[in-house]
Amino acid sequence: MPTGVGRADTRSYRRLAGTDIDQAMAFFTSDYELRAPSIRRTHADTIWDFAGVTDERMSLRTSRFGVDLRSQSQSDDVIVAWLRSGSSTITFDGRSVDLEPGVPVVLPSERYDLHHRDIGLNLVHLDRGFLTELVGEDSFAFEPLERPDAGGMRIWQETVRRYSSTWLQVDTAMSAVVRHDIASAFADAALRAFPRRSAWRTSVSGSAPEHQRLRKALDYVHAHAREPIGTPEIAAAAGLSPRGLQQSLRRHLDQTPGDLLRSVRLDGALEDLRRAERDETSVADIARGWGFGHLGRFSAAYRSRFGELPSDTLRSRPRR
């Protein structure tokens, strides 16, 4: 630890640089769990460097690697990354995204493919346990690789500008309170800046082809639940046979396609009843809008799921 940092300051500083590719790969492979990396020189003299300041909640890092690198990667941390130079393509869940200079994204929490070319990269690592504790949801996750909107970009950039230089001053001791406040500021900025992953997507983890097809099925059901769809349509959207869809849903979610569709429709009806104006709509209207043709069966299923009748949910809305 640099001179002047007190023992109570748990930050650690690390800086490495060189021209030896084997040394670089030994470091990056252990730090970012690179799997089966493939490297091609892009210059006669390869230059690489890394610097980072880390404690138990967060880490600010910067890296540069002047090669063409293809690999797979994964991390237990929540990582926000943005490109300084070069180019990078991240492929996850059947989708490839080219990182844009200066535009931050949250990297996937599951294994993904990467292709870096003469890359310069800034990264913020947030401890996943610290972040989920702040959110209060163990299943919380960000939607990977989604760019923030203009407001989110502004929030993130302002946080980086305000706190980074203080965090990186490792020659000056920092109290536990200040370290916690800075980590909390970065976590709060991430939560405000980046889209959260929909609950139905976090319910299926893994990046194997079966997981990808099942997420496609879930996406299709949530997008088309108001329409007259059934098992054939859901299976076709996911690239599965009807039997394959049934087996996959049973294996991963312990549901049938009918269970899934009914559950999504009930959730939609709940949200509509919560938002509805009591004098302008009825339970029957909302039930029909979500594909429930029999009001009695809808009310029974609704009560079994949410512990109250749909009419009770509607009555809880105040009159204008």
Side-chain angles (χ1 to χ4, degrees):
M1 183 174 289
T3 303
V5 177
R7 290 185 178 181
D9 189 344
T10 58
R11 289 177 301 158
S12 62
Y13 171 73
R14 182 167 52 170
R15 187 171 192 311
L16 301 95
T19 58
D20 187 312
I21 288 183
D22 292 336
Q23 182 186 24
M25 288 308 302
F27 169 71
F28 286 120
T29 297
S30 63
D31 217 44
Y32 288 95
E33 298 185 28
L34 300 183
R35 177 179 290 183
S38 172
I39 305 170
R40 181 177 60 83
R41 288 182 181 273
T42 56
H43 306 280
D45 296 319
T46 298
I47 298 175
W48 72 276
D49 58 56
F50 170 91
V53 177
T54 303
D55 81 347
E56 65 274 17
R57 298 185 186 91
M58 67 170 283
S59 176
L60 298 187
R61 308 182 184 190
T62 180
S63 63
R64 180 173 50 142
F65 200 7
V67 297
D68 185 293
L69 169 64
R70 296 176 185 266
S71 184
Q72 292 184 325
S73 185
Q74 186 174 7
S75 175
D76 292 333
D77 292 335
V78 174
I79 302 178
V80 180
W82 61 102
L83 200 63
R84 293 196 325 273
S85 60
S87 62
S88 176
T89 301
I90 306 295
T91 301
F92 173 72
D93 198 17
R95 173 188 177 209
S96 293
V97 172
D98 294 326
L99 301 190
E100 299 178 23
V103 179
V105 297
V106 178
L107 297 181
S109 59
E110 299 151 20
R111 190 163 295 278
Y112 59 89
D113 295 313
L114 62 83
H115 183 192
H116 294 333
R117 298 168 292 278
D118 296 327
I119 195 170
L121 200 63
N122 289 339
L123 307 105
V124 175
H125 287 233
L126 292 166
D127 178 75
R128 190 174 301 279
F130 172 61
L131 193 59
T132 55
E133 184 178 354
L134 288 178
V135 176
E137 299 175 16
D138 291 340
S139 61
F140 164 81
F142 288 107
E143 188 64 48
L145 304 177
E146 288 296 324
R147 298 166 176 83
D149 60 19
M153 177 75 79
R154 186 165 53 252
I155 289 168
W156 183 256
Q157 290 176 337
E158 288 175 355
T159 302
V160 171
R161 281 195 296 267
R162 181 175 181 181
Y163 294 107
S164 291
S165 60
T166 302
W167 183 263
L168 296 172
Q169 289 174 4
V170 290
D171 287 325
T172 303
M174 182 179 292
S175 72
V177 171
V178 173
R179 287 188 291 106
H180 184 277
D181 287 349
I182 292 177
S184 297
F186 273 95
D188 180 66
L191 293 170
R192 295 168 63 194
F194 299 102
R196 302 190 186 194
R197 197 163 209 201
S198 302
W200 70 84
R201 292 186 67 84
T202 61
S203 65
V204 180
S205 60
S207 57
E210 182 183 15
H211 300 121
Q212 296 172 16
R213 286 191 287 267
L214 188 51
R215 280 193 287 271
K216 286 181 180 179
L218 297 178
D219 288 343
Y220 179 82
V221 170
H222 281 83
H224 299 275
R226 288 183 181 271
E227 302 170 18
I229 62 172
T231 298
E233 291 80 10
I234 301 170
L240 292 165
S241 68
R243 181 168 177 77
L245 174 66
Q246 292 169 347
Q247 292 175 335
S248 188
L249 278 171
R250 179 63 70 187
R251 181 160 45 246
H252 292 282
L253 300 179
D254 195 25
Q255 288 184 316
T256 67
D259 292 335
L260 170 64
L261 184 55
R262 182 167 51 255
S263 176
V264 172
R265 285 173 169 170
L266 285 169
D267 287 343
L270 172 66
E271 291 304 312
D272 281 1
L273 286 164
R274 284 175 171 172
R275 292 193 301 262
E277 296 295 339
R278 290 169 55 184
D279 298 329
E280 296 179 3
T281 191
S282 68
V283 170
D285 290 337
I286 289 175
R288 282 193 294 269
W290 283 100
F292 294 98
H294 192 286
L295 186 58
R297 284 196 288 270
F298 165 71
S299 296
Y302 187 97
R303 184 172 187 173
S304 176
R305 176 75 181 277
F306 303 118
E308 66 178 13
L309 291 169
S311 55
D312 295 331
T313 306
L314 184 60
R315 275 198 296 268
S316 68
R317 287 284 296 160
R319 295 183 183 275
R320 283 184 175 182

